Amino acid sequence: MQNYPKNVLLISGKRKSGKDFISEKIVNRLGADKTLIVRISAPIKSHWSKLHSLDFDKLSGTDEYKEKYRKDMIQWGEQIRREDYGYFCKAAIDMFGAMQKQIWIVSDIRRQTDIRWFMENFGAVVKTLRLRAGQDVRKQRGFIFTPGVDDVESECGLDHFNNWDWEFQNNGSDDAEKICMAVEGWIYSEN
């Protein structure tokens, strides 16, 4: 049995900063045979869809369907985290079968407890990346400020965290290329 993971990249950023786009770009460049996107929000959406007989695929998408339930999902998730801050981290690893892949891209780190959990469990192989995008760019990508969503811990919990391995602007394709090159350099130097 392989000793996986060999690399864990924790990506954080505000809504519409490009976390999913960058995560998918990295997987495409490194290869899906050894790289996997782990989404902490996926088990939240899965549990929520089962509890309320909702469409999981639509809840995982980017349209209004998800936005209609986002605030309630956040509140419910916070309640679970108060009991076990690593609950959804563990659930996401299981849900995606992550232990079978060398490289994990955790695309939606939102809280200091998320970082803490991964550092406690995989510390030596973990790197953190904060994506930033200009307000105008985020609006072009569909961002609309929503009270109760954009002003709570799920969006603001890492605003004052300053211990990032990398911080990048993600306002376009040149930025995306720089981000991918930095991550690839780290991955290839470690493997």
Side-chain angles (χ1 to χ4, degrees):
M1 177 98 184
Q2 298 291 332
N3 186 21
Y4 293 151
K6 296 197 180 287
N7 304 91
V8 178
L9 178 64
L10 307 179
I11 299 179
S12 172
K14 298 285 190 178
R15 286 195 308 136
K16 303 299 182 182
S17 63
K19 297 180 301 291
D20 287 330
F21 176 79
I22 293 295
S23 297
E24 290 167 13
K25 197 165 184 62
I26 292 168
V27 169
N28 288 337
R29 290 171 72 133
L30 296 174
D33 57 318
K34 61 183 175 183
T35 311
L36 171 76
I37 298 173
V38 176
R39 290 182 170 88
I40 295 173
S41 63
I44 296 169
K45 293 169 185 170
S46 175
H47 292 319
W48 189 257
S49 66
K50 289 174 188 167
L51 279 172
H52 299 282
S53 301
L54 301 172
D55 185 318
F56 173 72
D57 291 328
K58 283 185 175 181
L59 213 52
S60 298
T62 59
D63 64 10
E64 288 302 311
Y65 188 84
K66 174 175 72 176
E67 296 308 320
K68 188 173 14 173
Y69 300 103
R70 184 186 289 269
K71 191 174 180 179
D72 291 333
M73 281 192 299
I74 289 169
Q75 291 172 347
W76 175 77
E78 293 305 325
Q79 178 184 346
I80 301 295
R81 283 184 177 91
R82 280 191 287 278
E83 296 169 24
D84 178 1
Y85 67 89
Y87 180 86
F88 293 114
C89 298
K90 292 179 275 192
I93 288 168
D94 290 342
M95 182 178 195
F96 289 98
M99 295 307 278
Q100 305 302 311
K101 299 285 183 164
Q102 295 177 38
I103 303 163
W104 301 356
I105 310 299
V106 185
S107 65
D108 56 354
I109 294 294
R110 296 186 177 274
R111 294 162 184 78
Q112 289 190 31
T113 53
D114 294 342
I115 295 172
R116 178 176 150 202
W117 188 87
F118 278 99
M119 293 303 275
E120 288 172 350
N121 289 279
F122 305 102
V125 301
V126 175
K127 293 272 188 196
T128 57
L129 167 63
R130 179 71 167 187
L131 293 178
R132 302 188 188 284
Q135 193 73 353
D136 290 341
V137 171
R138 291 173 64 211
K139 285 180 180 176
Q140 288 171 4
R141 294 173 181 165
F143 173 75
I144 299 170
F145 181 85
T146 306
V149 172
D150 293 300
D151 53 1
V152 297
E153 185 179 13
S154 64
E155 283 300 314
C156 304
L158 292 169
D159 285 358
H160 301 290
F161 183 82
N162 294 314
N163 199 20
W164 301 106
D165 292 300
W166 295 294
E167 290 185 64
F168 281 103
Q169 287 294 321
N170 184 30
N171 291 320
S173 59
D174 288 344
D175 293 334
E177 182 63 21
K178 289 176 192 170
I179 296 163
C180 290
M181 287 177 63
V183 171
E184 284 177 302
W186 165 57
I187 301 281
Y188 292 134
S189 73
E190 298 287 318
N191 294 315

